[in-house]
């Protein structure tokens, strides 16, 4: 094979060539580029001024903030950060949810590194989640018991989202397999479950979990509000994820199933060793899409009075000392959500690059 | 088929008796009977849609027969999942489209079934896998992914993968039909070697050269029936039925 690389000859230096081909290649493109530049010039400098240059970083209340200048009042966040992070958790025990957040972040971090992908990782998660439970609840090892009515803020959001994904994902795989089962009863049950849950808004599920479920339980038996909301989130996410997984399963060629069968692998082994690794790999983009959706959907628990990140912010805003800081508060909340969701998206893109090797993907298409 | 041509029961590896198969309203196999002795090599040929593939797919239960009886190595092919898995352990299969697992390396493809079905220790399975790759003449491809190999190489890996289970029977379902012409020979050579070593083989193929070289018996099928069986010499020189004559003239006539 000859190694002569054919490149389009060009007399212009690279950056200029790039600008020409990408920004000014036609009259319409030129017009759009100019329009975009105009809008940037019009809105970006004032925003930077407001958000950074003129911003007030320290003030005792919103009045002082507004008097000090026209910039954003980040003093609100600085003043209320503990409430935003930890909600109404007892103040002197804030280190406990603090450590829990760090534990969550470490679990996310080690899970994103391929060299930690061993059976030990599952154990790390088990231990990590158990530790978080002990830290948050207390009642053992000399930790004061804190009922989960008082949990709140970012840590609650992370709990809802993480436990939501950890439990909904395996459940969704079972549902997807069940929906493709040859056993009519199993298949029907899965179809009914998926269609029923998907056809109902999450808000109504949460309402049902918080208002209706206690009515059906025998008196004296109570399941706490957080657990009920968590279960509702898991059931909801699982129905959506199941359809994503089913899509992946359907994309696997029949020959793969047959080859695995012909080897004498049992159903469980065929599924775990041959089918799922391929099906989940091609489902990564829609899976992560649903994970991101679930992460943001946790904010809906405010309607049943759980103190997640968003409700903590809102409550802080309702204090007379901090009225009128809404824009800053919601910008901050958006930023927090964005950081987590963007991290997930980046992680999924890296995972795809790592896993879907060119030749492997091609072979999948060929067979 | 006459009873005289049937092998004695203890030497029978596969026994298909009066089997019928429908796909919806389509009668795919009509009262098919076939016996394969241990060590026997059978080539099944016939026009497309004649039921050849369906017949060999019944043997390891990739398809389910509606009536009749199939015995493989003394076990009946029926609804019992354990029995089916036992049969599949002893019956290797090679497909037209290779069906290698694209997410596993060549070596992992070969080790999967021995490790998970036969519970062979990993080290031993790897050793066997490397020996088999050497046998099909691609030891250097062990750590590649199937997608990086040519069609001929993939099919040889597929043969090695089936052999890794140390099967008693090998089924080949048009193993060279999806290959470019220049790769057919490398696959057939491996199959001929396998035949010479005494493997029991049932091969669906249009490669009549291969049939002449290795087959003990040619089975000619048409429209879901076994129309004619016979030794290759007689079958090619003097086919008894018009349908076989027509088929042979079509595939050999140029």
């Amino acid at each position: 094979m000859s190694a002569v690389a054919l490149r389009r000859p060009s007399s212009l230096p690279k950056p200029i060539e790039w600008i020409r081909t990408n920004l000014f290649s036609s009259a319409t493109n030129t017009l759009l580029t100019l329009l975009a530049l105009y809008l940037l010039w019009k809105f970006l400098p004032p925003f930077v001024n407001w958000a950074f240059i003129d911003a007030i970083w320290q003030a005792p209340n919103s009045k002082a903030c507004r008097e000090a200048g026209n910039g954003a009042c980040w003093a609100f966040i600085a003043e209320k950060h503990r409430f935003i992070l930890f909600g109404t958790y007892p103040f002197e025990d804030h280190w406990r949810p603090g450590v829990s957040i760090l534990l969550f972040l470490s679990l996310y971090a080690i899970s994103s590194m391929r060299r930690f992908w061993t059976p030990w990782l599952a154990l790390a998660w088990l231990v990590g989640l158990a530790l978080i439970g002990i830290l948050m609840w207390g009642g053992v090892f000399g930790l004061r018991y804190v009922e989960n009515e008082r949990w709140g803020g970012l840590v609650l959001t992370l709990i809802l989202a993480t436990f939501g994904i950890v439990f909904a994902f395996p459940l969704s795989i079972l549902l997807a397999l069940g929906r493709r089962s040859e056993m009519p009863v199993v298949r029907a049950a899965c179809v009914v479950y998926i269609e029923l849950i998907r056809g109902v808004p999450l808000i109504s599920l949460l309402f049902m979990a918080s208002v209706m479920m206690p009515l059906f339980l025998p008196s004296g038996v109570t399941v706490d509000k957080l657990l009920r909301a968590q279960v509702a989130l898991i059931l909801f996410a699982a129905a959506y994820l199941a359809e994503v997984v089913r899509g992946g399963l359907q994309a696997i060629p029949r020959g793969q199933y047959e080859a695995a069968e012909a080897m004498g692998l049992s159903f469980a082994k065929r599924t775990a060793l041959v089918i799922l690794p391929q099906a989940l790999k091609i489902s990564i983009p829609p899976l992560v899409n649903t994970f991101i959706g679930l992460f943001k959907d946790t904010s809906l628990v405010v309607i049943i009075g759980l103190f997640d990140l968003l409700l903590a912010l809102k409550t802080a805003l309702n204090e007379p000392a901090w009225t009128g800081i809404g824009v800053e508060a919601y910008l901050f909340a958006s930023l927090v959500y964005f950081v987590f969701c963007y991290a997930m998206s980046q992680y999924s893109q890296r995972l795809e690059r790592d896993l879907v090797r060119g030749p492997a993907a091609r072979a999948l298409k060929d067979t | 088929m006459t009873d005289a041509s049937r092998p004695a029961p203890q030497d029978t590896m596969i026994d298909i008796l009066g089997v019928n198969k429908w796909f919806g309203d389509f009668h795919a196999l009509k009262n098919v009977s076939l016996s394969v002795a241990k060590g026997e090599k059978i080539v099944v040929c016939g026009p497309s849609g004649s039921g050849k593939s369906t017949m060999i797919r019944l043997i390891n239960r990739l398809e389910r027969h509606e009536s009749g009886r199939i015995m493989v190595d003394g076990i009946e092919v029926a609804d019992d999942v354990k029995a089916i898995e036992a049969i599949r352990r002893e019956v290797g299969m090679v497909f037209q489209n290779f069906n290698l697992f694209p997410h596993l390396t060549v070596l992992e493809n070969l080790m999967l079934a021995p490790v998970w079905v036969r519970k062979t220790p990993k080290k031993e399975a790897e050793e066997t896998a490397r020996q088999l790759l050497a046998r099909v003449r691609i030891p250097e491809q062990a750590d590649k992914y199937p997608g990086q190999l040519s069609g001929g190489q993939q099919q040889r890996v597929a043969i090695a993968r089936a052999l890794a289970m140390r099967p008693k029977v090998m089924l080949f379902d048009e193993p060279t039909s999806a290959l470019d012409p220049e790769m057919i020979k490398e696959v057939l050579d491996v199959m001929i070697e396998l035949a010479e070593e005494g493997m029991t083989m049932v091969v669906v193929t249009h490669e009549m050269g291969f049939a002449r070289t290795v087959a003990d018996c040619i089975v000619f099928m048409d429209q879901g029936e076994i129309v004619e069986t016979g030794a290759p010499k007689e079958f090619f020189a003097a086919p008894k039925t018009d349908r076989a004559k027509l088929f042979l003239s079509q595939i050999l006539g140029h």
Side-chain angles (χ1 to χ4, degrees):
Chain A
M1 239 197 258
S2 74
V4 183
L6 287 176
R7 275 186 51 204
R8 192 161 58 91
S10 164
S11 53
L12 290 166
K14 264 202 155 169
I16 295 177
E17 194 194 323
W18 185 90
I19 287 172
R20 237 173 82 166
T21 51
N22 287 290
L23 300 177
F24 299 100
S25 58
S26 68
T28 332
N29 258 353
T30 308
L31 208 68
L32 286 173
T33 302
L34 291 176
L35 185 70
L37 284 175
Y38 170 75
L39 288 175
L40 277 178
W41 173 75
K42 185 100 172 122
F43 290 105
L44 198 61
F47 178 78
V48 171
N49 271 341
W50 176 80
F52 300 105
I53 296 168
D54 297 339
I56 315 298
W57 303 91
Q58 262 179 338
N61 56 46
S62 59
K63 200 158 165 267
C65 231
R66 291 304 179 224
E67 276 163 7
N70 290 326
C73 182
W74 299 125
F76 167 72
I77 307 292
E79 195 73 12
K80 288 287 169 193
H81 73 276
R82 288 185 111 179
F83 190 68
I84 295 164
L85 288 177
F86 309 129
T88 54
Y89 207 86
F91 192 82
E92 59 276 21
D93 283 326
H94 272 181
W95 65 272
R96 282 155 60 180
V99 172
S100 299
I101 291 178
L102 290 179
L103 273 170
F104 272 127
L105 296 179
S106 334
L107 285 174
Y108 303 154
I110 59 166
S111 308
S112 71
M113 286 178 246
R114 282 200 88 184
R115 74 191 124 110
F116 291 119
W117 286 12
T118 61
W120 293 105
L121 187 61
L123 190 72
W125 270 92
L126 219 65
V127 171
L129 294 182
L131 268 178
I132 288 167
I134 292 171
L135 276 170
M136 294 299 293
W137 254 302
V140 284
F141 306 125
L143 295 173
R144 184 150 60 109
Y145 174 72
V146 180
E147 70 269 30
N148 60 26
E149 300 279 305
R150 301 194 61 182
W151 301 7
L154 178 64
V155 74
L156 186 74
T157 297
L158 292 184
I159 288 174
L160 287 169
T162 310
F163 280 87
I165 290 171
V166 166
F167 285 95
F169 189 33
L171 179 60
S172 73
I173 292 174
L174 293 181
L175 284 168
L177 291 171
R179 190 164 185 171
R180 288 167 58 84
S181 167
E182 280 163 17
M183 290 175 275
V185 178
V186 174
R187 190 173 53 229
C190 291
V191 170
V192 167
Y193 173 87
I194 291 169
E195 296 304 336
L196 213 60
I197 300 279
R198 270 203 314 179
V200 174
L202 177 57
I203 292 192
S204 61
L205 268 183
L206 286 169
F207 264 128
M208 275 193 266
S210 90
V211 183
M212 280 169 63
M213 213 176 79
L215 300 178
F216 297 121
L217 288 173
S219 62
V221 178
T222 53
V223 180
D224 70 58
K225 197 154 76 171
L226 176 61
L227 185 61
R228 276 178 279 152
Q230 181 75 76
V231 168
L233 269 175
I234 290 170
L235 295 182
F236 185 76
Y240 276 86
L241 287 169
E243 287 298 279
V244 171
V245 175
R246 189 166 69 97
L249 289 173
Q250 263 164 357
I252 305 303
R254 220 176 113 86
Q256 292 289 310
Y257 289 88
E258 289 182 349
E261 276 178 53
M263 291 179 154
L265 287 164
S266 65
F267 174 79
K269 284 174 188 160
R270 298 201 285 272
T271 308
L273 298 168
V274 177
I275 305 304
L276 276 182
Q278 299 184 54
L280 294 182
K281 201 186 287 180
I282 48 178
S283 310
I284 289 173
L287 277 177
V288 173
N289 195 23
T290 316
F291 288 162
I292 288 175
L294 172 65
F295 188 90
K296 291 182 296 179
D297 280 350
T298 57
S299 60
L300 289 173
V301 298
V302 299
I303 61 142
I304 57 167
L306 284 177
F307 239 78
D308 81 322
L309 176 67
L310 217 52
L311 187 57
L313 259 172
K314 230 169 127 184
T315 312
L317 276 176
N318 283 342
E319 272 180 49
W322 291 104
T323 48
I325 311 292
V327 177
E328 289 90 334
Y330 288 112
L331 260 179
F332 177 74
S334 308
L335 185 70
V336 172
Y337 280 106
F338 177 78
V339 165
F340 281 98
C341 295
Y342 187 67
M344 274 195 263
S345 142
Q346 285 300 302
Y347 173 52
S348 89
Q349 284 180 26
R350 219 189 65 204
L351 203 61
E352 270 179 81
R353 271 201 304 275
D354 283 0
L355 291 181
V356 187
R357 275 168 281 249
R362 209 176 56 224
L364 193 64
K365 244 185 279 160
D366 286 348
T367 45
Chain B
M1 277 186 121
T2 59
D3 267 332
S5 72
R6 299 181 68 86
Q10 68 270 20
D11 295 331
T12 309
M13 184 57 86
I14 302 168
D15 197 18
I16 301 173
L17 199 66
V19 161
N20 283 282
K21 166 78 189 167
W22 283 267
F23 290 111
D25 286 335
F26 176 64
H27 200 169
L29 288 178
K30 299 168 189 159
N31 207 23
V32 165
S33 295
L34 177 70
S35 225
V36 184
K38 283 180 185 153
E40 199 176 12
K41 291 109 191 91
I42 293 203
V43 166
V44 184
C45 62
S48 68
S50 60
K52 339 178 268 295
S53 288
T54 307
M55 184 182 73
I56 72 161
R57 288 160 60 88
L58 292 178
I59 296 169
N60 62 354
R61 197 61 162 190
L62 288 184
E63 304 286 355
R64 196 175 175 285
H65 55 283
E66 267 90 29
S67 74
R69 205 173 71 135
I70 301 175
M71 302 285 290
V72 178
D73 198 24
I75 309 172
E76 175 161 14
V77 183
D79 281 330
D80 178 13
V81 177
K82 289 285 157 221
I84 293 171
E85 282 170 13
I87 288 166
R88 285 173 176 168
R89 283 198 288 274
E90 308 303 332
V91 178
M93 186 158 197
V94 175
F95 299 87
Q96 183 176 353
N97 294 316
F98 331 134
N99 294 345
L100 295 175
F101 304 134
H103 62 301
L104 302 176
T105 63
V106 165
L107 201 62
E108 289 166 340
N109 263 281
L110 264 65
M111 289 166 59
L112 188 74
V115 168
W116 289 95
V117 180
R118 287 240 195 266
K119 313 278 179 219
T120 314
K122 268 201 173 152
K123 233 184 119 203
E124 197 185 316
E126 188 182 331
E127 235 166 75
T128 315
R130 290 195 188 277
Q131 280 166 14
L132 284 167
L133 286 177
R135 201 165 135 192
V136 298
R137 299 185 204 97
I138 37 174
E140 73 286 356
Q141 311 287 1
D143 298 315
K144 289 200 181 158
Y145 283 87
Q148 294 167 289
L149 307 184
S150 73
Q153 290 172 328
Q154 288 195 45
Q155 193 60 300
R156 283 185 280 156
V157 171
I159 295 173
R161 180 176 70 174
L163 291 175
M165 283 292 278
R166 305 193 178 287
K168 293 178 179 164
V169 187
M170 286 283 282
L171 307 176
F172 292 84
D173 188 2
E174 306 207 24
T176 55
S177 301
L179 294 176
D180 292 334
E182 76 272 17
M183 294 172 181
I184 291 178
K185 189 173 175 299
E186 62 189 54
V187 171
L188 290 180
D189 284 347
V190 168
M191 290 169 62
I192 291 169
E193 257 181 49
L194 195 60
E196 283 164 356
E197 286 161 21
M199 176 65 77
T200 309
M201 293 163 72
V202 181
V203 184
V204 172
T205 186
H206 293 298
E207 293 295 330
M208 290 303 134
F210 171 81
R212 270 202 191 96
T213 325
V214 305
D216 297 313
C217 175
I218 308 262
V219 172
F220 172 70
M221 293 183 72
D222 192 20
Q223 294 173 3
E225 292 172 304
I226 293 183
V227 177
E228 191 172 333
T229 55
K233 245 186 203 162
E234 294 149 29
F235 178 75
F236 287 115
K240 284 171 262 177
T241 58
D242 290 339
R243 283 196 272 182
K245 275 178 203 156
L246 179 67
F247 173 73
L248 282 176
S249 73
Q250 277 164 349
I251 64 162
L252 301 174
H254 44 250

